[in-house]
Amino acid sequence: MSNIEVFVWAAAEGLPSTSPFCLKVIYALRLKELPHTITVVDRPPDWATRQKLPVIEIDGERIEDSTTILKRLDVLFPDTPRLYPTLSQQKAEVLLVEEWADQSLYWFLVLSRWSVDANFDRFASIIFGKLPPHLQQIIPPAARENNLTRLGNLGLLQLTPEERYERVREVGWILEQRLASNPYLSGEVITAADLSVFPVIQLMITCEFVDLVGLFDAFPQLKQWLARLEKQLATT
Ligand SMILES: N[C@@H](CCC(=O)N[C@@H](CS)C(=O)NCC(=O)O)C(=O)O
């Protein structure tokens, strides 16, 4: 049996991490039923050249980036459920959705979490709450500033609250259309597409973002998909 250790940002709100990329990897390991250790850290290990999480160590092999990790899991464990289909057209579709989730959808989570005061306060009390008082004055505002700069560079801070709400509502609508004829985003089985989108929506709902309250309630297929994944990806 392989020795697998995944390094993630803090657990919170009943979930094993606050990071959708970390959740994506944890859920992939659960789907494949691969025994693993989850190590929660407050900074990436020194060997992580990109200084981002998640990172994983599999029998001494160190891998960075959630997409690279998921692809490697399919190679290393070919007898477990595949995350990427073998047929080219289906695989292309999964990669497209994964890229959209990681590079576009993800930033709407960052936008709500770091730019809306009530959301930030709740998040900060969880992840920075145990810092000594003198660091509480320094680290949370610096981290917030850093993320606001990233959001500004992407042009997302220019959106009005109405535009932001509408963009996320449209995400719900897009997913609802995709799920109209299939139980999962790319067909009959869970793939990397579901594992990339699901954690972002799950965090948006679980963290009770005040700017997005009830937004996904209007989409019945989406709600069923969320419930299905929550059940299938839960620990037994
Ligand atoms: N492309 C990377 C993105 C990972 C990523 O952005 N992780 C965030 C947490 S959600 C992080 O570690 N941020 C720390 C930082 O940017 O300082 C992946 O898919 O793993």
Side-chain angles (χ1 to χ4, degrees), residues 114-180:
W114 293 89
S115 78
V116 177
D117 286 344
N119 298 342
F120 172 74
D121 291 345
R122 176 168 166 162
F123 175 65
S125 72
I126 294 169
I127 63 157
F128 301 122
K130 292 199 182 99
L131 285 177
H134 69 285
L135 291 181
Q136 298 256 6
Q137 309 293 321
I138 301 168
I139 293 185
R144 192 176 195 190
E145 191 57 40
N146 189 13
N147 277 290
L148 291 178
T149 302
R150 289 173 177 166
L151 290 165
N153 291 340
L154 291 168
L156 289 174
L157 291 179
Q158 291 169 350
L159 296 176
T160 65
E162 292 74 23
E163 284 173 314
R164 291 161 55 150
Y165 187 89
E166 179 53 21
R167 295 278 285 272
V168 182
R169 199 199 62 77
E170 224 159 47
V171 166
W173 180 84
I174 291 168
L175 297 174
E176 187 75 3
Q177 307 318 304
R178 289 196 69 92
L179 293 164

Side-chain angles (χ1 to χ4, degrees), residues 16-190:
S17 178
T18 50
S19 154
F21 299 110
C22 296
L23 291 175
K24 174 178 159 186
V25 170
I26 292 169
Y27 292 154
L29 292 166
R30 287 187 186 170
L31 182 70
K32 286 180 172 288
E33 298 189 38
L34 294 168
H36 57 277
T37 306
I38 296 175
T39 302
V40 173
V41 289
D42 53 20
R43 65 189 168 91
D46 289 341
W47 56 261
T49 55
R50 302 171 201 180
Q51 284 299 295
K52 287 187 188 290
L53 294 174
V55 294
I56 199 168
E57 214 168 330
I58 306 175
D59 295 330
E61 178 182 350
R62 292 165 169 172
I63 313 167
E64 301 183 51
D65 190 281
S66 62
T67 301
T68 309
I69 294 169
L70 263 58
K71 288 177 177 165
R72 191 75 184 128
L73 289 177
D74 263 2
V75 173
L76 291 175
F77 307 101
D79 298 331
T80 59
R82 290 194 64 85
L83 305 172
Y84 300 91
T86 42
L87 289 178
S88 297
Q89 273 190 352
Q90 290 174 5
K91 183 175 177 182
E93 171 114 350
V94 168
L95 289 170
L96 195 64
V97 174
E98 181 173 35
E99 192 66 5
W100 167 75
D102 291 0
Q103 302 300 337
S104 173
L105 177 59
Y106 163 69
W107 289 103
F108 284 91
L109 171 71
V110 178
L111 188 60
S112 284
R113 178 178 272 170
W114 293 89
S115 78
V116 177
D117 286 344
N119 298 342
F120 172 74
D121 291 345
R122 176 168 166 162
F123 175 65
S125 72
I126 294 169
I127 63 157
F128 301 122
K130 292 199 182 99
L131 285 177
H134 69 285
L135 291 181
Q136 298 256 6
Q137 309 293 321
I138 301 168
I139 293 185
R144 192 176 195 190
E145 191 57 40
N146 189 13
N147 277 290
L148 291 178
T149 302
R150 289 173 177 166
L151 290 165
N153 291 340
L154 291 168
L156 289 174
L157 291 179
Q158 291 169 350
L159 296 176
T160 65
E162 292 74 23
E163 284 173 314
R164 291 161 55 150
Y165 187 89
E166 179 53 21
R167 295 278 285 272
V168 182
R169 199 199 62 77
E170 224 159 47
V171 166
W173 180 84
I174 291 168
L175 297 174
E176 187 75 3
Q177 307 318 304
R178 289 196 69 92
L179 293 164
S181 49
N182 283 313
Y184 299 105
L185 290 178
S186 283
E188 292 294 324
V189 293
I190 299 177

Side-chain angles (χ1 to χ4, degrees), residues 161-224:
E162 292 74 23
E163 284 173 314
R164 291 161 55 150
Y165 187 89
E166 179 53 21
R167 295 278 285 272
V168 182
R169 199 199 62 77
E170 224 159 47
V171 166
W173 180 84
I174 291 168
L175 297 174
E176 187 75 3
Q177 307 318 304
R178 289 196 69 92
L179 293 164
S181 49
N182 283 313
Y184 299 105
L185 290 178
S186 283
E188 292 294 324
V189 293
I190 299 177
T191 66
D194 301 280
L195 298 182
S196 307
V197 176
F198 171 64
V200 180
I201 308 288
Q202 186 186 38
L203 282 164
M204 283 174 168
I205 294 172
T206 310
C207 297
E208 298 179 334
F209 287 155
V210 295
D211 51 326
L212 303 181
V213 175
L215 181 144
F216 296 109
D217 289 349
F219 303 112
Q221 305 293 340
L222 175 57
K223 284 177 71 177
Q224 282 178 27

